Structure formats: C-alpha cells, structure tokens
Amino acid sequence: MRKLLLIFLMYSITLWSASAQQKKVNGVVKDAQNGQTLPFSTISVLSDGKVLTKIAADANGNFSIDAETGSIIQATFAGYEPRQVKVGNANNLTIELKSNTNLNEVVVIGYGTEKRKDLTSAATTISAKEISEAPSTNLATALASRAPGLEVHSTSTQPGASASVNVRGLNSISQLQGPLYIVDGVALVGDIRNINPNDIASVEILKDAAAAGIYGSRAAEGVILITTKKPKAGATSVNFDMYAGIQSNNPAYKMLDARGYANLKRSAYQDADPGTFGKPGTDTADAKIFNAYELHSIANGYTNYDWQKAIVHNNALTQNYTLSVSNGTGSNRVYFSGQYQNQDGILINTGYKKYAGYLSDETNIRPFLKLGGSINYAHDITHNAMPNEYQQSLTESPLQPIYDNSGQPLVIIDKSTGNPTIFNPVTLALNAIDLYTTNRTNANLYLEFTPIKNLMLRSSIGADIFQAEEDKYYPRTTGPGYMPNNGLGEIYNSRATDVLWENTASYSISAGSHELNLLGGFTFERHENTATDMQGSQFPTDLLSYKAIGSAGLKIQDNSQYDGWTVRSLFARAVYKYKGRYILNATIRQDGSSRFGTDNKFGVFPTVSGAWRVIDEPWIGYKTKTWLSDFKLRLSYGLVGNQNLPYDAIYTRYDATTYPFNGSSVTSGYSAAGTNGVFGNTSLQWEVQHQLNAGTDIAILNNRLTLSVDVYNKNISSLLMPLPLAPSSGFQTEYINVAAMNTKGIDVALKFTPIQTKNFTWQSSLNWSKYKSKVTKLFPGTDSLNLTLRVGLPPSGVYGNYVFNGLYQQGDNFALNPNGKPGDIKIKDVNGDGKITPLDQVIVGSSIPQGWGSFWNYFRYKSISLTIYSTYEYGQKLNNLTFTDLTYYNSIYGNTGNVTVQGGNYWTPTNTNTNIPRPNSFQTSLKTLPGGIGQGSSYSIQNASYFKVQHITLGYDFASELLKKIKVNTLNIYAQVLNPFLFTGYKGVDPDIAGADAANEVYPRYRTYLVGVKLGL
C-alpha cells in the first residue's frame, strides 16, 4: 500500500511539473522590412529538430499555440526565410521574417521606382552582376539575351563593333532606329559602347506600352533605362577590377592548299579554252596560267603560303582596368571611377582603346533639399579593318609568296604596262588607315525638394554630347589608292547633341487598405545632328595621309548636313493599390514635335495596366502557400508613337545645280527636287502603335522555381511609305502615312535552383522569346511593292532570289540555258513558262529567328564558382553569299581567287555528285544566274540556327577570415574563356552577327582566354 501511494505521488508531481512548463504563447508574424503582417504563416513547435505541433496563423498574421519553455517556435511564410525563436518567459512574440525573394526589390521605372511585386507591366531587370560576368567593349552586347524579348547582335566580330538592338521584334517598315536609352535621365539613341559596364547598377528593359508609354513618341521601339552606380552611405570603399588575356584565331573558312589551288586553276583554264591552254599540268600549259613566282613554288614541290596567317596577329592581348572609389560619410556622398581598356585586334593594325571616367555626387543641403548630379566621359579609338582585307587574304594564291627578298609585301608589276597586277592584302592591312575616334559626354544635374511629407518636386537637366571623326586613307601601294587616284583620303566628322530638361511632381497617400501614388511632369528636349564630309585624291605624297586632305589635287566631296528637332511633353501617372493585391496603373503623355506640320504637331499616348496578386488572397490556404510562393496576373494596353522620320520627308530640299541658259551658257541655280527627289509633306502624322500585353509571374517551392510569361500583340498604323510621283511633278517620291503592320509574340523567363545545400548550390535560368511580324496594309489597292515587301510578309529580314536546282549533267535538257554545259548551275523555272526571268524569284530565307534566348548556369561549392552562359537562336535562314563567293571559283573576287575546301569538290565529268559548278576562268559556268554572279541563288541560303557558349568562368572567393587579417573586404580571382564553343550548321564567320551577310564578315572569329581579379577595400 505504501508503494502504491509513493508511485501515485511521483506521477502527480510529474504531471504538475509538465503542466507548469507547458504554456500558451501568442504572437504575430510580420515582414521585417515594412512591418506588414504575414497572413496564414505556418507556425511550428520544434523539439530536438522534430515538429511537435503545427498550426496556421490567422488572416492578420496572429497565432496562439501551446509550447514548453525552452522549446523552439518556427515561423515560415512563402517567399521569406524561416525564423526560429526560443520560448522563454515572454508569452507574446513578434516574429519578423526577411524576404528571400526579389519581390520587394525596388526597380526603376519611367520617372520613378516601384517594388517588383507591384509591377503591372512587362519590365525586366538586368543586374550589375549579370552585366559584369563577361568583359565587353559594348554595353549593348553585354545585354544580349539577358532579358526575354531583347534581341542583340554585334554588327561585326572586330573590336569596338557596334550592335543592333531590337525590343520585341519589328516596329516599323522604314523608320527603324532602335530603342530609346535613358541613362540617369539623359536620353541616348544609337550606340552605347561609351558607357563602362562596371559603372552600371542596373538596366531595366521596358517592353510593353504600359511600361514605356510614359516616354510617348520616343518609345515605339522600347525603352532601356540604365541606372549608374551612386555613392552609398558609409565609410570610404575602393574597388579595383582588372583582367588580361590573349585572343586566338578560330578560323571559319579552310581554304585549298597550294596543290589543290593549282589543280583548280588548271581545270578552270582548260575548261575555258582547252585549245590554248593544252593538257592541264604540262609545263607549256602552266607557263600560260601561272606567274613566275607561282611556277617557282610548283617547281619546289608546291610551296604553300598562308596569307590568312600573314595578316592575323595570334595571341593578341586584351586588357581592362577599372578603379572606383565611393565615400558616403556626412551629408555629401561621392562616387568616382576610371577605366582603361585596350583590345588588340587579331588582324594586324586593328584594335580598340577606351579611356573613361565617371563622377557622381549627392548632397543633402537640408533634410528637405537634395542636390545631385553625374558626369561620364569616354574617349574611344578604333582601328578598323579595311573592307575586303580579310576576304582578300583568304582568296590570294597560296602559290604566291607574301614578301619579296627584302622582306617587304610583294607587289607584282606587269612589265609591259608598269602597273601592278596583284595588290598585297598585307600592304592594305599595314599601310591603309581607317581610324574611328569618338568623344562622348553624358551629364545630368538634379534638385529634389520635399516641402511636405510624401510630396517631392524634382527638376533635372541632362545633356548627351557625342562627337565622332572617321579618317581614311589609301596610299598608292593599295588598290584604291593606286593610279589614277594617287592616294585616296576622307575625313568624316559628325556631332550629335541632346539636351533634356525634366520637371516632375510626385505625391503618395495611403489610408487603410488604399494607397495612391501620383506623378505629373513637363519635359523639353532639343536634339541636333551635324556632319561634314571631305574626300579627295591626287595627293602629292602619302606621308601625311588624310591629315593633308587640303592638299588633295582633286576634291571628290566637300559637303555638310544638318538635322534638328525639339519635343515638348506633358505627362501624368496614377497608381492605385487596394489591400496590396489589386493594382491599377494609368499614364498619359502629350508630345509636341517640331518634326511634324502645324496640323499634326501634337500626339497623345495613353496607357492603362493592372495587376492582381492572387497569392495575397485570403482564400489561398496556408497549405497551398507551402509550395506556391508567388502568383500574379498582369494585363496592359496602351499607345506609343514614333517620330523618327527623314528630315526631307517634311521639308522640300533645295540643292545647288547647274542648267543651260540661252542655248549655250551654264548657269548656277537650285533644284527644288533636291538630290533625293523627295517632295516635302507637312501633313505627316505620327506612326502609332497599339499594344496589348498579358502576363503572369509564378514562384513555387519557396522560390526555388520562378516563371514569368508575357504574350503581346502590337498593331502599328500610319506607317510612313514613299509614294512614287509622276515625272511631270518634278519629284520622285512623297512620304505619306498609309501602311500598317502587326507584330505578336511571347516572352518566357524561367529561373530555378535544382540543388541548394550548405556547401553546394546550382542555379539556372532560361529565357525564350518568339515573335512574328507581318505587313497588313500598303497602298490602297496594292498588296505588293516588290518580292519581299508585300502584305503577309515581315517588313524586312526576308530574302528573295532564284531557286538553286542543282547542276546540269550529261544528257540533261538545256532548254532553259541553251548555251549551257554540264557542270553549269541550274535555276528552277518556278512559274513554268519555259524561261528564267525575274518572275521565277521566290522567298528563299529569312533572318528572323523562330525563337531565341539564353541558358545560364551557376555552380558553387564553398568558395569555388563556375558560371556557364550560352545563347541560342533557331529557325532563321541567312543569305551566306560570302560562303558562295569563297566556294565558287571565279566569283566576285576575281579569276585568281582561291576557294574553300568545299569549293575544291567541283564538278568534273568524273565527279558529278556535287553542287559546286565546274571552274571556268571566264565565268561561263556562272552566267546562268540572271542577276549576275554577285546575286547568287538559294544555294547561298543556309540554316543559321546555333547554340553558342558565350563564356565559361571559374572563380574563387577568398575566405573572410583571411581577408580580415589583410584588411580586405572582398577578393575574387577568376579564369575565363570567351566564345569557347559554337554549334551550328552555318558555314560563315558567325551566325550571331547582325544580318550575317558579306558586308559584315570583314573580320575573323576568335576565342579569348582571360584571368582577372576583383578587389574590394
């Protein structure tokens, strides 16, 4: 009995003790940044890592749960980092969670900022980290495929090349100019290579009308907002970035060697005139075909000379150094950076240098008054490759010595005339000059005044001053500069100035579940372009080159140009938010432009957009939020305009001319039609774009996977077209607003984290875009102006040509080519009329891809990181006329030209299974092309789909423990290879080059190997 009583007493004490430790804990879960409650958060009680109890907070983020003293309460909410709190004496807890997403990230929009989660339009941010992943001489190329809907292509592979940039496809038939760039409030158009990528804080791509519409008539081709780095509060910080590396040639074309070329040339002459040139390969025949130098090479066992190697500077050095200093102590904050970049070209005597400096300053004059500004200056020097320099090195005879006995580039002289018969491409590379120098200054100054809470008045003025000079000179030792020119020179100067004055007032108010943000503004912009061009020949000496253009005996050109316009604008925006989950955005802008006549000077461009944050609805249960982190729907519609039109479209040009008078004398006067024959039309209107966009943003698994999808439809009307005029009018054309087109497409951005552990992380992102453009209207009653410009087709980017139908063989019907021979090119009679005429031309290709995007992968193990960035395009078929010219013997490069290895597989009576025509020194095998040998055929059209690894980077971050000892904040070293792999069936230099045609293939492809250091103090 005593034992039973003792057991009962111990059991009671245990229950009493347990009851004493268990208690009711009340609390609330909030956002650590803004203090807003987080409804339906998941609350768990943990003990030894195990979940004992789990409940959901209520709609206001409040909870009540039983927990023992010393146990752990964990709060989790989708999109936030979990937080654990140990239960102590307190019975009421406030648990603040930090966001682990970028939803609360502040992004730049037109004339303001907005939280990412509240965006109602299609806008994509490209971070400074993404931009700086790989070195670039042009900021535009650093943006390539980083955002869905953004299409960027370099115009060439040579250092310092410009870039072609499109936002969401084609937006005009004849007035394409590229997107509008806004750099810290300064408007830029065209090339942005002068901006140092290391000075960029972020880049926002405004893609739909709702995002870009507040810029009105400048926004037809999208808006790219560039925000530069600003000084940060805190002690002085210093950052130093540098890289250096070498570039190696990665040849796209492999040419015939000396023996293959000799056999090719023998076959060509034998085919042209077997009676004159006899049996191929005999001494008698060779003496008539080859010059003395080539015969010497043949006699010595076909000595091979590599002309491409002679102008290629392998292991060319590239280097870049950037130093930045930021000081944010006190009321004044300053940021400064300087850059030196030097990229030697892999073609001799080519390269790119840049010297740049950037300064930003902000001062709080009073708590309610802030003054700030920035200035960026860049001096660029580009030594361009000469036209055909690269192609000529490919087509020179491999039997021909490159240098004479004195080591100078060999030039062969015809003894009978004293004139050169072969100009050496090495001479062209060494002695000819194409020097392009630019100076660009971007500056802005602003004042912000906050007279009362939530009201800000802001005034800013910005200027972009761009000056460029291109100097060219061909000495007498080159083909263009030889007799009768005796030196050929040119100096082309251009200057563009854009001044933008902006004044805005913004006010925000909130009451309960309602929030309203208002913006109003006035802007005035003035833009001027001037240019002068001087060309001359007959120079007394080559020593002073273009610098002595005034001494040219013959003035070929001496003229100037001017273009200027002003735009006055009024705009307003209202953003209304209800309960943080229903968002409405409306903007309106009126532009008045001097480019238009009095009746149509003003245009009004309204937009409206809305977003529904479905994830914040109370009926989304907490169980759903355990896997669904974010869900938002967006819809927008708006109008934007295009004021880009030729100066002569409005004003009739009067040019100086001469005309006979009294039957004999010539009198100076003016021609009303001008040199271009355009009759000015003062009734022209704005090109107007109506754009509808629908999108969604989704995140799941605690933001391990995020997806953004946008679909859009753009109807563009009042497009400018040149209307042909009757000869009796005295003019050729008049521009009118008449045409229309449609562009529709889809943008997809996917980011995911397949693996994330304590020591290892794998992150990926995939972008994909697609669009279709078509002309919907031309002139009344006319649906076709030519083969490639007609209703139903894209307004540009398509190729029309004859259809290559193989080669004629023995026994074929030669009715379409009565003078033809076996081995000649066969053109298809498309319309079946029994003859080859221009009516047999059809659409054979298009440079518009069926889809494009990028694939980014980031791997990190402890302090080691690996980044692989790739881009891709598919479905485009490009006109690779360069390959045709380098493959067909005796094409536009002359009858001594070498051909590619593929061109060595030419037709002979014993080699008929080929599509390379028989070589002929007099071009007869190519005369069946109705457009001539330079036109080509569908044979030149190639599938240009590609997958290109842009860069692979291996980096190492030094441990913080070590850095503290040496008093360094950050230290990263890396090794990088640029353009390591290109997977494509395209046979040219690079399908990623804009247009990828003969005009742009002036430079070879190369691969770059770098090492770099990033140091922060």
Side-chain angles (χ1 to χ4, degrees), residues 263-273 889 919-922:
N263 291 332
L264 168 74
K265 196 168 183 180
R266 288 166 180 152
S267 297
Y269 276 86
Q270 170 69 14
D271 184 87
D273 192 347
Y889 178 76
N920 184 282
S921 61
F922 299 142

Side-chain angles (χ1 to χ4, degrees), residues 214-425:
I214 200 163
Y215 291 101
S217 64
R218 307 291 304 279
E221 296 184 67
V223 178
I224 297 180
L225 302 181
I226 300 174
T227 304
T228 58
K229 292 180 180 178
K230 299 296 186 293
K232 297 180 180 179
T236 300
S237 63
V238 179
N239 289 279
F240 176 70
D241 295 351
M242 66 83 60
Y243 66 79
I246 59 174
Q247 304 157 100
S248 62
N249 187 22
N250 185 15
Y253 301 110
K254 186 176 181 181
M255 313 303 289
L256 290 180
D257 60 12
R259 187 181 296 273
Y261 172 72
N263 291 332
L264 168 74
K265 196 168 183 180
R266 288 166 180 152
S267 297
Y269 276 86
Q270 170 69 14
D271 184 87
D273 192 347
T276 300
F277 297 104
K279 185 178 180 180
T282 62
D283 292 342
T284 303
D286 281 358
K288 298 177 181 178
I289 298 173
F290 302 100
N291 62 43
Y293 294 99
E294 292 175 316
L295 291 173
H296 186 265
S297 297
I298 293 173
N300 287 332
Y302 294 92
T303 304
N304 191 78
Y305 295 94
D306 191 340
W307 286 85
Q308 185 176 180
K309 187 177 181 179
I311 68 166
V312 168
H313 180 201
N314 244 332
N315 298 326
L317 181 65
T318 180
Q319 54 189 318
N320 182 83
Y321 307 91
T322 298
L323 178 68
S324 63
V325 180
S326 178
N327 187 312
T329 58
S331 60
N332 186 61
R333 297 177 296 277
V334 178
Y335 175 89
F336 168 78
S337 77
Q339 180 197 22
Y340 169 70
Q341 185 174 33
N342 187 355
Q343 181 182 359
D344 292 335
I346 63 167
L347 291 186
I348 57 176
N349 206 24
T350 65
Y352 173 77
K353 287 184 180 180
K354 178 163 72 173
Y355 307 86
Y358 170 72
L359 175 66
S360 177
D361 182 88
E362 294 180 346
T363 301
N364 291 321
I365 302 174
R366 294 288 186 273
F368 54 86
L369 191 62
K370 180 179 179 181
L371 177 67
S374 64
I375 184 170
N376 179 80
Y377 171 76
H379 175 66
D380 292 26
I381 304 170
T382 306
H383 291 269
N384 289 316
M386 306 308 295
N388 295 334
E389 171 188 331
Y390 175 53
Q391 287 90 339
Q392 190 178 347
S393 73
L394 297 174
T395 58
E396 282 294 343
S397 167
L399 294 167
Q400 180 75 45
I402 302 171
Y403 304 99
D404 60 23
N405 293 333
S406 65
Q408 295 299 313
L410 178 66
V411 177
I412 299 179
I413 305 297
D414 187 336
K415 294 181 180 179
S416 63
T417 63
N419 295 327
T421 58
I422 297 177
F423 287 97
N424 198 317

Side-chain angles (χ1 to χ4, degrees), residues 182-197:
I182 302 292
V183 183
D184 294 335
V186 180
L188 308 180
V189 175
D191 200 346
I192 56 173
R193 70 175 185 173
N194 309 86
I195 302 174
N196 182 2

